[in-house]
Amino acid sequence: MGMAQNSEKSIQEVSIDDLKVGMFVLLPLSWFKHPFLKNQFKLTSVTEIEKLRDAGFKTVRIDTAKSEQAHPEVVLPDKEQINPPKKWKPEDIVPPELTAAVRSKTISPQNKAAVVKKASMALMGRLMEDPSAQNIKAAKQGIIEMVDCIISDDETSQCLLNITSHDLYTYTHSVNVGFLAVLLAKNLFKGNLSHNMRELGAGFFLHDLGKVNIDSAIINKPGRLTDEEMQAMRRHPVEGAKILAKTKQLSKEAEIIVMQHHERTDGSGYPHQLKGKEIHTYARICAIADVYDALTSERSYKQKLPPLQALQVMRDEMINHFERELFERFVMLFVK
């Protein structure tokens, strides 16, 4: 009984503004009430505190007995030092919740979509931290699970399309683009067995993998990039293609998606300023999904656009960037 009392005494309600790296937080038990894979964990970075704030938490419960609070006068190191890239074992890359949700026959489409989205974000986050050949191979199996779900389950696919939670993380963007591009490819190639949707899905989800080789200070810069920084950022398609070619885990078509997803139909893209049909159809699909998600995502230097407004901007200001027929088919995904 004494132990229970001590446990209760160690639990405190803390304002979000008073949270510190090292505190052990206790979140609501429901999977859908917070943006983390665990309900109880130690805060390892300022970014995690911001995620709690963005999720709408004003206060959270902490367990002081399990916390390691930083001294208030100590200047915390930057994010890279607080939360260095973690080494992941291949067997831990794919969260078990992903496979369980995809294969479940009883979970509702809405719940399945929420779990798949959240678990896939965790998968991409882990892969971005440690993109070894074996981890890419493991991640590909998780991506195959997601692609199969999208292809075979129209209700869950629609629910995935309706999920609009965005943040600044590269892996979240990768997941959003992966879902959107697979949905568009499904619409375009339905009944055509000449397209390997699993390999395409891998290319779509991993299109930004090259960003792991770009300076993190540029990736995480809270504002517009300078011309020099933009030139460095524009290396990521080439860097991603190099990673995939070296690991030999994906098809040539998937490598093309990674290399060409920033090319534009009018020749204004990069890295090779390809035009029109010079750009592979798969890369043109990815480009549309990529731009749409960028427009509908929050950034420090711009507000996100509602879906309809984003589509209007793409139609009125960027239509020469895309193949018109593909864009029209993309718009139809949102018409119920």
Side-chain angles (χ1 to χ4, degrees), residues 58-295:
K58 304 298 183 186
T59 63
V60 295
R61 293 193 307 155
I62 69 165
D63 188 339
T64 59
K66 298 180 179 179
S67 296
E68 296 176 2
Q69 298 183 33
H71 191 279
E73 296 180 358
V74 174
V75 177
L76 294 173
D78 62 31
K79 186 174 72 172
E80 290 299 316
Q81 292 172 301
I82 293 172
N83 192 22
K86 183 176 180 178
K87 293 297 181 182
W88 290 94
K89 296 179 181 178
E91 59 267 26
D92 295 329
I93 289 292
V94 181
E97 294 88 352
L98 176 61
T99 301
V102 167
R103 298 181 182 180
S104 174
K105 302 297 184 181
T106 58
I107 188 173
S108 71
Q110 292 84 358
N111 287 354
K112 178 179 288 191
V115 174
V116 168
K117 176 72 180 288
K118 191 170 184 179
S120 60
M121 286 169 55
L123 181 157
M124 290 304 304
R126 295 169 186 180
L127 183 62
M128 290 289 183
E129 288 186 314
D130 190 7
S132 67
Q134 290 303 309
N135 285 350
I136 291 175
K137 182 178 181 180
K140 182 179 176 182
Q141 295 307 306
I143 291 170
I144 286 173
E145 297 266 13
M146 290 186 280
V147 171
D148 287 350
C149 177
I150 294 170
I151 297 301
S152 63
D153 189 337
D154 289 340
E155 285 189 89
T156 298
S157 296
Q158 187 61 48
C159 292
L160 286 167
L161 185 62
N162 293 337
I163 293 176
T164 57
S165 58
H166 299 280
D167 62 23
L168 297 176
Y169 298 104
T170 296
Y171 57 84
T172 308
H173 171 69
S174 297
V175 168
N176 292 337
V177 172
F179 284 142
L180 290 167
V182 170
L183 285 168
L184 179 54
K186 173 186 176 181
N187 181 275
L188 289 168
F189 304 140
K190 196 168 186 177
N192 188 336
L193 300 181
S194 65
H195 303 279
N196 188 329
M197 292 297 294
R198 289 177 168 182
E199 290 292 341
L200 292 191
F204 294 146
F205 277 91
L206 300 180
H207 75 283
D208 266 350
L209 185 62
K211 287 184 178 178
V212 302
N213 287 347
I214 306 301
D215 186 348
S216 61
I218 295 176
I219 298 292
N220 298 312
K221 182 179 178 179
R224 293 187 180 277
L225 302 180
T226 65
D227 290 344
E228 184 178 355
E229 291 168 339
M230 183 58 73
Q231 284 299 110
M233 178 68 83
R234 288 185 171 186
R235 293 202 318 269
H236 78 267
V238 174
E239 294 297 326
K242 285 180 181 178
I243 293 171
L244 296 183
K246 182 178 180 180
T247 57
K248 299 179 180 179
Q249 295 300 325
L250 301 184
S251 67
K252 194 65 179 177
E253 289 84 357
E255 291 180 26
I256 288 173
I257 291 171
V258 173
M259 177 68 87
Q260 296 185 1
H261 71 277
H262 275 291
E263 301 288 359
R264 298 293 179 257
T265 300
D266 61 2
S268 63
Y270 62 88
H272 300 305
Q273 293 77 52
L274 301 179
K275 294 182 178 181
K277 299 298 182 180
E278 294 176 341
I279 308 168
H280 199 288
T281 299
Y282 301 155
R284 282 182 265 146
I285 291 171
C286 191
I288 291 173
D290 186 42
V291 171
Y292 172 81
D293 187 69
L295 290 173

